[in-house]
């Protein structure tokens, strides 16, 4: 309702009740039409704001969030595990995929102790990569072979082998329907879990820049989170269009481990406990796994900072 019509109503209501003789004043027709149209537009906009998922809204306004992390808990992690895939199951248990030739495996790991409770070592010709859990099956990629494996999560016995369309195998995640895959490029793939064909591909963009080297993936509340290889950054991606929704900067974790004398490799591995809303991260050969809380950075982000910290050149094989 416009303020004019509100004022008029107020004025009308102040008329003495006894003055019944005067006929009610009519608003001009065009004024009514315009105000109805305006109200309808406003109402539609409010409904859009209320109903649109937050990532749609953010993509709509092209806003990007910049977050830092606080460590809530730290847990032991096998310092021999070259983490390439990490997925939380239930009951404080992870499944983890490890890489390197001769050290690749899929394993079940206890959160609290870091103890490897079960392990399936891979053939020495294979380099383990991304891992996810869908319909009570573990799906694992390998780096350069375009081949992946399906395991029974109960005893890690191999059920099947599959081939995919990606250039390599790097990261894997799921929303419970499709598989999200990365191959170290700037493309986020959506893969049919039955045929293993890529049903959709989105190039990931931060403003006008491609985000190269997408690595380990996790699906969290409608977003795909990805480690960006060779950086301490996690990028939050809108999976439907590849738009970057936000950046999480985690340089402190790796620095602290290095300062403590650990020979650690890059940050890699994100896991989401949807039940207890816990986020876990670790890295390749890290002796620790962290439960983190994500919160906004309370100072302005300089334009060049994200480029320097989070947007590496495309990875080239040596
Ligand atoms: C949960 O994990 C603990 C320790 O690993 C184990 O003793 C217990 O049986 C598990 N519970 C279920 C329901 O799987
Ligand atoms: C693993 O468990 C499944 C049933 O859950 C069974 O059929 C299979 O034989 C088991 N594999 C091994 C190696 O124990």
């Amino acid at each position: 309702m416009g303020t004019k019509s509100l004022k008029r109503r107020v004025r009308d209501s102040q008329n003495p009740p006894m003055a019944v003789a005067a006929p009610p004043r009519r608003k001009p027709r065009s004024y009514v039409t315009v105000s109805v149209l305006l109200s309808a537009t406003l109402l539609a906009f409010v409904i859009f704001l209320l109903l649109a998922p937050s990532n749609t809204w953010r993509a709509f306004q092209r806003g990007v969030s910049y977050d830092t992390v606080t460590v809530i808990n730290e847990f032991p992690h096998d310092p021999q595990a070259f983490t390439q895939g990490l997925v939380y199951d239930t009951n404080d248990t992870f499944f983890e995929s490890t890489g390197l030739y001769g050290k690749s495996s899929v394993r079940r790991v206890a959160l609290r102790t870091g103890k490897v409770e079960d392990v399936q070592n891979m053939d020495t010709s294979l380099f383990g990569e991304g891992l996810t859990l869908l319909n009570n099956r573990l799906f694992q990629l390998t780096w350069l072979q375009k081949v992946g494996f399906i395991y029974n999560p109960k005893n890690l016995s191999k059920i099947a082998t599959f081939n995919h369309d990606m250039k390599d195998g790097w990261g894997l995640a799921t929303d419970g329907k499709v598989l999200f895959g990365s191959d170290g490029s700037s493309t986020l793939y959506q893969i049919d879990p039955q045929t293993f064909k890529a049903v959709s591909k989105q190039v990931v963009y931060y403003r006008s820049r491609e985000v190269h080297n997408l690595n380990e993936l996790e699906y969290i509340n409608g977003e795909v989170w990805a480690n960006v290889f060779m950086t301490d950054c996690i990028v939050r991606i809108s999976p439907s269009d590849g738009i970057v929704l936000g950046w999480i900067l985690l340089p402190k974790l790796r620095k602290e481990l290095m300062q403590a004398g650990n020979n650690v490799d890059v940050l890699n591995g994100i896991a989401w406990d949807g039940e207890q809303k816990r986020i876990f991260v670790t890295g390749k050969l890290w002796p620790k796994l962290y439960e983190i809380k994500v919160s906004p950075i309370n100072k302005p982000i300089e334009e060049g900072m994200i480029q320097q910290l989070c947007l590496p050149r495309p990875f080239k094989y040596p």
Side-chain angles (χ1 to χ4, degrees):
M1 185 192 299
T3 39
K4 269 190 188 163
S5 72
L6 187 68
K7 274 187 196 143
R8 179 171 302 163
R9 283 233 184 142
V10 171
R11 223 188 307 128
D12 288 349
S13 72
Q14 285 163 349
N15 284 345
M18 298 310 288
V20 269
R25 265 179 292 170
R26 281 209 111 111
K27 294 176 192 174
R29 201 176 192 92
S30 65
Y31 178 82
V32 174
T33 313
V34 167
S35 79
V36 164
L37 268 175
L38 271 176
S39 314
T41 310
L42 213 86
L43 188 70
F45 190 64
V46 168
I47 289 172
F48 168 77
L49 289 187
L50 290 176
L51 296 186
S54 62
N55 57 344
T56 309
W57 167 233
R58 258 189 282 165
F60 171 75
Q61 59 162 201
R62 293 296 191 272
V64 177
S65 63
Y66 301 94
D67 290 308
T68 183
V69 302
T70 318
V71 171
I72 294 179
N73 272 308
E74 23 177 286
F75 302 100
H77 177 245
D78 177 4
Q80 303 288 310
F82 199 76
T83 308
Q84 298 286 27
L86 189 70
V87 50
Y88 183 84
D89 185 19
T90 52
N91 192 27
D92 281 358
T93 302
F94 289 102
F95 290 101
E96 185 170 0
S97 167
T98 66
L100 298 177
Y101 294 108
K103 298 189 98 179
S104 288
S105 69
V106 58
R107 42 179 74 190
R108 189 172 63 244
V109 180
L111 165 68
R112 305 263 155 208
T113 59
K115 191 168 160 262
V116 179
E117 293 180 327
D118 196 2
V119 61
Q120 179 76 257
N121 290 314
M122 297 168 75
D123 188 275
T124 54
S125 66
L126 296 168
F127 193 114
E129 285 281 344
L131 184 75
T132 196
L133 188 57
L134 172 64
N135 297 331
N136 200 31
R137 291 286 180 261
L138 283 167
F139 294 74
Q140 183 197 34
L141 297 174
T142 61
W143 184 20
L144 300 172
Q145 276 87 355
K146 290 183 193 286
V147 64
F149 300 105
I150 304 175
Y151 303 90
N152 180 342
K154 288 264 175 325
N155 54 16
L156 303 182
S157 65
K158 203 179 278 176
I159 297 168
T161 299
F162 64 87
N163 293 284
H164 60 80
D165 293 341
M166 297 188 289
K167 189 166 60 72
D168 294 344
W170 285 44
L172 204 57
T174 183
D175 60 358
K177 296 186 200 89
V178 297
L179 298 171
F180 294 102
S182 68
D183 60 2
S185 70
S186 54
T187 299
L188 180 69
Y189 297 77
Q190 293 191 27
I191 299 166
D192 181 313
Q194 248 90 50
T195 63
F196 298 96
K197 296 277 166 240
V199 290
S200 165
K201 291 180 197 179
Q202 302 295 336
V203 175
V204 176
Y205 279 98
Y206 170 60
R207 304 202 194 281
S208 58
R209 295 200 177 90
E210 268 179 67
V211 181
H212 300 287
N213 307 353
L214 298 175
N215 203 3
E216 218 275 316
L217 304 176
E218 187 71 25
Y219 181 83
I220 304 179
N221 289 334
E223 303 178 0
V224 172
W225 290 22
N227 286 112
V228 179
F229 182 53
M230 301 302 282
T231 77
D232 293 307
C233 303
I234 290 174
V235 60
R236 298 167 66 169
I237 305 163
S238 162
S240 58
D241 52 21
I243 287 171
V244 170
L245 303 168
W247 291 99
I248 305 167
L249 310 182
L250 312 89
K252 262 197 323 200
L253 301 182
R254 193 174 53 87
K255 276 197 193 121
E256 278 174 11
L257 288 172
M258 283 170 68
Q259 277 159 9
N262 299 288
N263 191 15
V264 296
D265 204 292
V266 294
L267 172 82
N268 203 37
I270 311 166
W272 168 241
D273 168 10
E275 269 171 40
Q276 293 185 53
K277 315 283 178 230
R278 294 184 293 178
I279 305 165
F280 301 97
V281 295
T282 190
K284 300 177 184 178
L285 311 178
W286 285 24
K288 284 180 182 168
L289 179 144
Y290 299 93
E291 181 188 346
I292 55 166
K293 185 170 153 280
V294 170
S295 49
I297 295 174
N298 292 321
K299 53 180 189 216
I301 302 294
E302 284 166 34
E303 191 52 34
M305 185 177 154
I306 294 297
Q307 191 179 356
Q308 198 193 337
L309 290 179
C310 306
L311 294 171
R313 289 166 193 279
F315 172 70
K316 291 233 167 51
Y317 291 107

